[in-house]
Each structure stands twice: as C-alpha cells, then as structure tokens.
C-alpha cells in the first residue's frame, strides 16, 4: 500500500492566495514540503515547511538539501547530474519509504559500478565516495548515514 503524503498548511495557503497577486507556486511533488513562489516581476522566493524566504532563509534551507536544490535547478532549466535519493534503514522505515540502503545497492548494480555516493546534505565533498563493489558501497553508506538520514 502506498503511503499518502499531505501538503503542509503553509504550502496549501500559498498555493491558494498566489493567483490573487499574480504569482505562481511550485511545490516539489515527492514530499510536498518545499516550494517556490514566482512573482510577476520575475522574483522568486522559496519556502520549506513553515520557513518562508522573506529574508533568504527559505532558499538557504533548500540549498542545503541536494535533492530539493536539484528539483528547482531542473525547473529553472539548469543541467543537473542524474541521481536518486535513498535513506537509512531507520529513516526509510520511519517515513514508510522502500528506498533504503538495500534498494540503493540494487540501484547501483543496475546502473553499474563504480558509482558515486554522497550525503544529501553537507558541502565541500564531505562523505562523497566513489565505490567499486558491494563491500565499499555498504561501508560508504554506513559512514554517510552516521551524519545524514
């Protein structure tokens, strides 16, 4: 059975009022917790959960998450690297997602080794590894999931 996701109240409110001011709201469809507000004058603002980009905090929050940042970069026409997000066993169970470490390994074998693995958050290459086999793969992800879900 597929788990139903709901859109947080802020996103629902923004989506409803945006047309009144000539704006358009784009909500990331997988988890529905981040979004972009596009104004008539070309300005863009971002939000995540209840954090709105009135002072660039929303954009900063989204930029810290590679999966969400990629979503908006693609929407704006920027080239992005193909990838897929997976979760620790604990987190995938908590959110009801089948995308756990074992699913990540199956994906890696499907696309072929070597594969690059990296945490979804963080910067400056911390936790990024190029792995060539099953043992290295699980070792790298175990290290990543100590810091990132």
């Amino acid at each position: 059975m597929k788990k139903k996701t709901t859109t947080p109240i802020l996103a629902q409110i923004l989506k409803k009022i945006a047309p009144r001011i000539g704006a358009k709201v784009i909500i990331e469809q997988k988890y529905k917790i981040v979004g972009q507000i596009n104004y008539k004058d070309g300005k863009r603002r971002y939000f995540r959960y209840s954090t709105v980009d009135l002072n660039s905090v929303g954009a900063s929050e989204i930029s810290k998450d590679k999966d969400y940042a990629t979503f908006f970069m693609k929407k704006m026409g920027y080239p992005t690297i193909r990838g897929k997000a997976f979760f620790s066993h604990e987190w995938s169970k908590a959110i009801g997602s089948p995308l756990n470490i074992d699913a990540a390994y199956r994906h890696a074998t499907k696309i072929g080794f070597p594969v690059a693995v990296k945490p979804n958050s963080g910067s400056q290459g911390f936790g990024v590894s190029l792995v060539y086999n099953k043992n290295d793969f699980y070792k790298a992800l175990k290290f990543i999931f100590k810091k990132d879900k």
Side-chain angles (χ1 to χ4, degrees):
M1 185 169 119
K2 187 171 177 126
K3 187 174 181 175
K4 183 181 177 195
T5 59
T6 58
T7 305
I9 190 72
L10 177 64
Q12 293 174 32
I13 292 168
L14 291 172
K15 189 104 172 154
K16 187 173 183 176
I17 64 171
R20 295 180 187 174
I21 60 169
K24 181 180 175 186
V25 173
I26 298 171
I27 299 172
E28 183 274 333
Q29 291 298 302
K30 192 171 186 180
Y31 300 105
K32 301 180 182 186
I33 59 173
V34 301
Q36 179 186 68
I37 307 165
N38 295 300
Y39 294 94
K40 288 188 285 189
D41 64 2
K43 288 184 181 176
R44 293 184 174 119
R45 296 287 183 245
Y46 297 87
F47 59 92
R48 180 177 182 191
Y49 290 112
S50 61
T51 304
V52 181
D53 183 22
L54 299 178
N55 58 2
S56 74
V57 173
S60 175
E61 285 295 307
I62 289 170
S63 72
K64 293 176 189 176
D65 186 295
K66 291 174 182 69
D67 204 32
Y68 292 141
T70 298
F71 171 80
F72 287 109
M73 290 173 65
K74 281 182 184 176
K75 277 283 196 197
M76 292 185 283
Y78 291 101
T80 59
I81 295 172
R82 189 180 58 186
K84 191 167 183 176
F86 294 92
F87 308 103
S88 68
H89 284 300
E90 296 79 18
W91 190 243
S92 64
K93 185 176 180 182
I95 65 172
S97 173
L99 299 176
N100 62 26
I101 295 172
D102 299 322
Y105 177 72
R106 289 190 298 274
H107 182 70
T109 59
K110 181 180 173 184
I111 63 173
F113 285 98
V115 296
V117 296
K118 61 183 183 176
N120 193 44
S121 60
S123 60
Q124 299 181 344
F126 179 79
V128 176
S129 296
L130 186 61
V131 296
Y132 294 89
N133 57 50
K134 182 178 183 177
N135 186 50
D136 290 345
F137 183 85
Y138 278 93
K139 187 177 177 182
L141 285 183
K142 186 177 179 182
F143 176 78
I144 287 171
F145 288 136
K146 282 183 182 178
K147 305 283 183 199
D148 196 330
K149 295 177 184 171

